[in-house]
């Protein structure tokens, strides 16, 4: 068998979805709900198929299991097909589906790149799948050599969070491209913060890379963390596998309605992102004047990671002044760092005034 150090690996290795899908999942057919079997064409029908309460209250009917109305809008906005999208109860559900579809418990492994989003590790624990951690380099980029050496024939998923949480930076396009080309499993690019970034989404590369999965969310730039809506975008083959295992009604009616309203309001979302970005730059400038702030890291997201003299002390002092920030000091490469989410102009003023008082 060819190994990753084999100079001919590009020629001899190729991605094959069937090889990485769990055997039990291959044999499944999706649960067929009443709302799958009869899809309304808009004509007036009498619905006596799903044991629902017939009295109208807005939510007495089961929601569309395929969220067709919402998907049609998202597909158009993102210039992909509906068959390339799976929606979930937050991206956390989408990430969990990936483990359950592709990782055999106690056998397979995944790779994550700390310091990064905590859910990859949590989900690997829940699903009993080994999480192989490969630290980012000191400039917060993926360590390609180490990642390639860590991959073995049981490595199914590689999680790349770009822009990365909690560091804030985007990863180099060439590095991600190299990983996509040399890894035979699935590369999951978590783009939770892409709307704040000047980098282009990897969605446009889906047709070039059969092993690419892009996840996004309405929880950050779209301001809809409370409705729980996550997006998974990939080849129609990958999406078909995930559809076999997703709970039939995983995105509820209220979420679908609210999401449609929000994603259609392109101008409001864009304005809020613009305001957050200009507030972020103001906050960055002010942080430079705070005596105990030592490093302010580059960010492509709606937060700023900064190194301070003593993160535990400053975190507690800010709490006492009524400002809650995230203390990231226990994360690798993040000793004595705090993560500041960019708030409204007024909220940021509260943060700044608290920092200034402590700075004197
Ligand atoms: C906030 C965040 C998410 C969002 O998850 P949801 O379940 O969609 O709210 C996903 N990935 C990263 C890296 C995040 O920081």
């Amino acid at each position: 068998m060819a190994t990753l150090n084999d100079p001919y690996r590009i020629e001899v290795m190729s991605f094959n979805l069937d090889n990485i899908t769990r055997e039990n999942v291959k044999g499944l057919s999706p649960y067929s709900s009443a709302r799958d079997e009869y899809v309304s064409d808009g004509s007036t029908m009498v619905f006596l198929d799903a044991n629902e309460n017939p009295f109208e209250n807005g939510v007495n009917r089961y929601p569309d299991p395929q969220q067709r109305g919402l998907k049609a809008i998202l597909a158009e906005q993102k210039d992909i097909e509906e068959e390339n999208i799976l929606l979930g109860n937050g991206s956390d559900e989408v990430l969990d589906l990936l483990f359950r579809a592709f990782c055999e418990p106690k056998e397979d492994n995944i790779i994550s790149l700390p310091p990064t989003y905590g859910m990859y590790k949590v989900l690997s624990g829940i699903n009993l799948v080994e999480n192989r951690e490969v630290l980012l380099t000191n400039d917060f980029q993926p360590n390609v050599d180490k990642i390639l050496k860590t991959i073995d024939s049981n490595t199914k998923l590689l999680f790349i969070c770009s822009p990365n949480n909690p560091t804030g930076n985007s990863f180099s396009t060439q590095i991600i491209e190299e990983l996509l080309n040399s890894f035979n499993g699935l590369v999951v690019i978590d783009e939770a913060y892409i709307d704040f970034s000047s980098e282009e989404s990897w969605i446009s590369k889906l047709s070039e890379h059969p092993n690419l999965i892009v996840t996004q969310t309405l929880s950050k730039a779209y301001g809809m963390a409370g409705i729980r809506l996550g997006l998974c975008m990939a080849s129609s083959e990958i999406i078909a596998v995930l559809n076999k295992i997703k709970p039939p009604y995983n995105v509820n009616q209220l979420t679908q309605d609210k999401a449609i309203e929000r994603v259609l309001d392109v101008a409001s979302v864009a304005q809020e992102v613009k305001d957050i970005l200009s507030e972020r730059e103001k906050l960055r400038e002010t942080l430079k004047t705070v005596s105990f702030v030592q490093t302010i890291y580059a960010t492509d997201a709606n937060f700023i990671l900064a190194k301070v003299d003593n993160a535990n002390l400053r975190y507690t002092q800010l709490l006492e002044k009524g400002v809650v920030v995230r203390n990231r000091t226990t994360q690798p490469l993040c000793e004595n760092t705090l993560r500041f989410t960019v708030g409204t102009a007024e909220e940021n003023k509260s943060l700044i005034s608290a920092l200034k008082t402590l700075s004197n």
Side-chain angles (χ1 to χ4, degrees), residues 90-92 117 120 161 165 190 192-193 217 219-220 228-230:
S91 27
D92 291 346
Y117 186 46
Y120 316 133
C161 185
N165 177 8
D190 184 337
Y193 299 98
T217 176
S219 295
K220 307 288 156 63
R228 313 303 302 129
L229 191 88

Side-chain angles (χ1 to χ4, degrees), residues 107-272:
E107 224 171 87
D108 290 334
N109 65 76
I110 62 123
I111 295 179
S112 64
L113 313 176
T116 193
Y117 186 46
M119 277 310 282
Y120 316 133
K121 185 179 194 167
V122 169
L123 290 168
S124 68
I126 292 170
N127 288 289
L128 215 52
V129 170
E130 183 193 352
N131 174 32
R132 298 189 173 175
E133 302 192 312
V134 181
L135 271 198
L136 295 178
T137 58
N138 286 328
D139 57 350
F140 296 149
Q141 290 292 326
N143 188 330
V144 178
D145 286 344
K146 278 211 177 128
I147 293 169
L148 294 184
K149 285 196 184 106
T150 303
I151 292 169
D152 67 17
S153 59
N154 286 109
T155 306
K156 298 299 182 70
L157 307 171
L158 166 61
F159 287 99
I160 293 184
C161 185
S162 182
N164 187 41
N165 177 8
T167 59
N169 63 304
S170 296
F171 294 157
S172 133
T173 306
Q174 290 93 315
I175 287 179
I176 295 179
E177 192 88 44
E178 190 176 349
L179 291 168
L180 275 164
N181 289 331
S182 34
F183 177 43
N184 239 354
L186 292 163
V187 176
V188 184
I189 306 186
D190 184 337
E191 292 188 337
Y193 299 98
I194 192 68
D195 304 287
F196 301 106
S197 167
S198 42
E199 301 281 321
E200 208 195 317
S201 164
W202 283 84
I203 294 176
S204 59
K205 300 283 171 64
L206 282 175
S207 53
E208 283 169 45
H209 299 286
N211 61 337
L212 170 60
I213 294 179
V214 179
T215 65
Q216 295 181 357
T217 176
L218 294 203
S219 295
K220 307 288 156 63
Y222 283 81
M224 297 261 121
I227 70 170
R228 313 303 302 129
L229 191 88
L231 291 73
C232 175
M233 289 153 292
S235 72
S236 56
E237 291 83 5
I238 293 174
I239 297 298
V241 171
L242 298 174
N243 266 318
K244 286 185 178 190
I245 64 165
K246 88 169 184 71
Y249 303 113
N250 62 329
V251 179
N252 72 68
Q253 188 66 54
L254 300 174
T255 295
Q256 294 188 36
D257 295 346
K258 197 83 182 162
I260 288 175
E261 201 181 293
R262 183 62 168 168
V263 298
L264 286 175
D265 195 358
V266 178
S268 297
V269 176
Q271 186 59 49
E272 288 177 13

